Amino acid sequence: MSARRRIMIVVGTRPEAIKMAPVILALREQPWADVRVLATAQHRQMLDQVLAAFGIVPDIDLDIMQPGQALTALTARLLLRIDDVLATERPDLVLLQGDTTTVMSVAMACFYHRIPIGHVEAGLRTGDLDNPFPEEMNRIVAGRLARWHFAPTETSRGNLLREGFAGDNIFVTGNTVIDALHQVAERELDIGVDIDPDKRLVLVTAHRRENFGEPFRAVCRAIRHLADSNPDTIFLYPVHPNPNVSEVAREMLAGHERITLCKPLDYLPFVAAMKRAHVILTDSGGVQEEAPALGKPVLVLRRETERPEAVEAGVVKLIGTDYDAVVNETNRLLRDGAAWRAMARGVSPYGDGRAASRITEVLRHQLAA
Ligand code: UD1
Ligand code: UDP
């Protein structure tokens, strides 16, 4: 390969940064790649802490986030700002990850500029535009506009084939989230929050838009009841800063002696919290991938998931947001040792920690062609 290829890698939110960090670090090692990192900063604090944890400094930072941002205004601001960046930078390739508004907006801007896209974590689908909202639409748009699809699993590859994408452009790589997990698991990990060592820990995260309002309030009522009725268990809940979540969480859960609400944990402390947890309640995508690899049972506070592999393996259970379901399923894992052991079996259907090197190899071949 003669001239170095200009590769722009885009990150907007916390999960994009966690999942792109291994790709950025791997591509920076390649003599043929001229890597530029574009941070839209759709998330500000949560993006910065991940980039710092991996020692990554963005080359361009759009500083887009506004408190309580609405989807339409966020999309409009992103499109306008990205347009300028693409016109100036003229990358040979743009790499996007996942299904956020950053990804959808950058994909559209690349399409207008006729710049090829590689989509990392391609082919995840629920088949329901309302669940998750708006992510299902975001990833459909990104996938439709991408030239290269880096599918984490055979299931996601199958989804893309069913939508008519050419098999030659789909590469099953595993999910880069497992690469990131392997990279930090060797480091010193400390939650940084006082947790009674004699009590079991239930770790909670929640932020999905389709759960805002009554579904999320029902989950909070259930957590309060579980904390009341399980004196040997504490609940640690790093609260997502979206005001639709944080205001309700504080109103409904603050002040209970066995519920600790804290700010979002930085990535390394959060991995420490997952390792310390007995059970994890979450509506997060990434946590559904990481927790099985750490052998932690996950109850998913959603009606559908685009990550069926761990559900099929029996280590993740989709329970929705109904009060009774959250109470009963959590109590089952807290009180029935056999039920807990059946779900606490360390399996890693999402990868082996080598996804970034596979993506790098594919790009080297493809860009040389
Ligand atoms: C976004 C993504 C979602 C992803 C999630 C990961 C979209 C539409 N949503 O949801 O797919 O799963 O990130 O966490 O792309 N905020 C801060 N500081 C931060 C981050 C957020 O204060 O570092 C607050 C701000 O008030 C911001 C609000 O959270 O306006 C919402 O952020 P936004 O990125 O629009 O949505 P998320 O709910 O974070
Ligand atoms: N995470 C974190 N701190 C927290 C909660 C989550 O670092 O307080 C990490 C977690 O390990 C996972 C990612 O953030 O890798 C998931 O992000 P999030 O749940 O915000 O988004 P999603 O995966 O649902 O898109």
Side-chain angles (χ1 to χ4, degrees), residues 49-359:
Q49 58 87 10
V50 176
L51 294 176
F54 286 93
I56 294 167
V57 179
D59 299 288
I60 304 160
D61 190 324
L62 301 183
D63 199 21
I64 282 284
M65 192 191 94
Q66 291 183 357
Q69 58 203 3
L71 293 175
T72 317
L74 171 65
T75 307
R77 287 202 310 280
L78 281 164
L79 276 171
L80 288 174
R81 297 292 305 282
I82 295 156
D83 197 55
D84 290 342
V85 174
L86 295 180
T88 314
E89 295 274 320
R90 298 304 308 167
D92 296 312
L93 159 74
V94 171
L95 278 183
L96 304 171
Q97 194 287 330
D99 53 21
T100 64
T101 296
T102 284
V103 172
M104 186 270 295
S105 306
V106 178
M108 286 183 58
C110 288
F111 174 65
Y112 295 143
H113 284 264
R114 304 176 95 76
I115 296 170
I117 296 167
H119 189 207
V120 176
E121 197 180 76
L124 275 63
R125 298 287 186 271
T126 59
D128 177 353
L129 286 179
D130 294 325
N131 290 288
F133 174 88
E135 291 83 2
E136 179 78 354
M137 182 277 289
N138 288 342
R139 59 197 173 209
I140 288 171
V141 171
R144 184 67 189 79
L145 300 178
R147 180 175 303 176
W148 297 290
H149 309 268
F150 299 106
T153 65
E154 288 296 337
T155 305
S156 42
R157 174 180 156 84
N159 292 337
L160 291 166
L161 290 173
R162 263 192 303 284
E163 289 176 17
F165 293 100
D168 289 354
N169 295 331
I170 307 170
F171 305 91
V172 178
T173 60
N175 198 309
T176 54
V177 78
I178 304 297
D179 302 32
L181 194 59
H182 286 195
Q183 285 171 21
V184 304
E186 286 153 23
R187 298 201 222 163
E188 187 80 10
L189 296 177
D190 179 11
I191 306 179
V193 176
D194 278 342
I195 308 284
D196 184 339
D198 299 327
K199 291 196 168 30
R200 293 185 300 183
L201 177 68
V202 176
L203 179 64
V204 182
T205 81
H207 69 82
R208 298 248 82 86
R209 275 177 163 69
E210 63 273 18
N211 285 345
F212 289 174
E214 185 43 36
F216 182 55
R217 298 184 85 86
V219 169
C220 289
R221 277 196 297 277
I223 290 170
R224 213 174 165 100
H225 174 79
L226 286 161
D228 282 339
S229 51
N230 288 285
D232 60 345
T233 304
I234 43 173
F235 291 76
L236 174 63
Y237 178 4
V239 180
H240 194 287
N242 192 319
N244 293 290
V245 173
S246 56
E247 286 166 16
V248 178
R250 284 184 210 295
E251 173 203 321
M252 298 188 69
L253 296 175
H256 195 290
E257 61 175 337
R258 285 188 294 280
I259 302 176
T260 300
L261 300 180
C262 63
K263 289 203 158 78
L265 293 174
D266 287 359
Y267 180 52
L268 272 67
F270 188 75
V271 173
M274 284 193 287
K275 288 174 113 168
R276 168 69 173 79
H278 191 66
V279 173
I280 300 178
L281 299 183
T282 191
D283 63 14
S284 161
V287 177
Q288 289 178 62
E289 295 155 344
E290 296 160 329
L294 297 171
K296 302 300 175 173
V298 180
L299 298 175
V300 178
L301 305 165
R302 296 173 52 180
R303 292 165 54 194
E304 306 192 44
T305 182
E306 58 293 277
R307 294 167 170 89
E309 296 86 349
V311 177
E312 282 155 17
V315 297
V316 167
K317 188 165 184 186
L318 210 52
I319 64 166
T321 53
D322 285 349
Y323 173 89
D324 287 339
V326 177
V327 169
N328 294 338
E329 295 290 346
T330 308
N331 271 336
R332 201 166 70 86
L333 291 182
L334 291 176
R335 294 170 185 183
D336 176 348
W340 181 84
R341 279 190 297 279
M343 287 186 74
R345 282 181 288 112
V347 297
S348 188
Y350 301 108
D352 60 1
R354 296 178 49 232
S357 72
R358 292 192 187 97
I359 292 168

Side-chain angles (χ1 to χ4, degrees), residues 2-17:
S2 47
R4 292 169 84 208
R5 300 304 170 136
R6 292 167 62 80
I7 302 179
M8 176 170 283
I9 303 185
V10 180
V11 291
T13 64
R14 168 173 67 190
E16 288 163 78

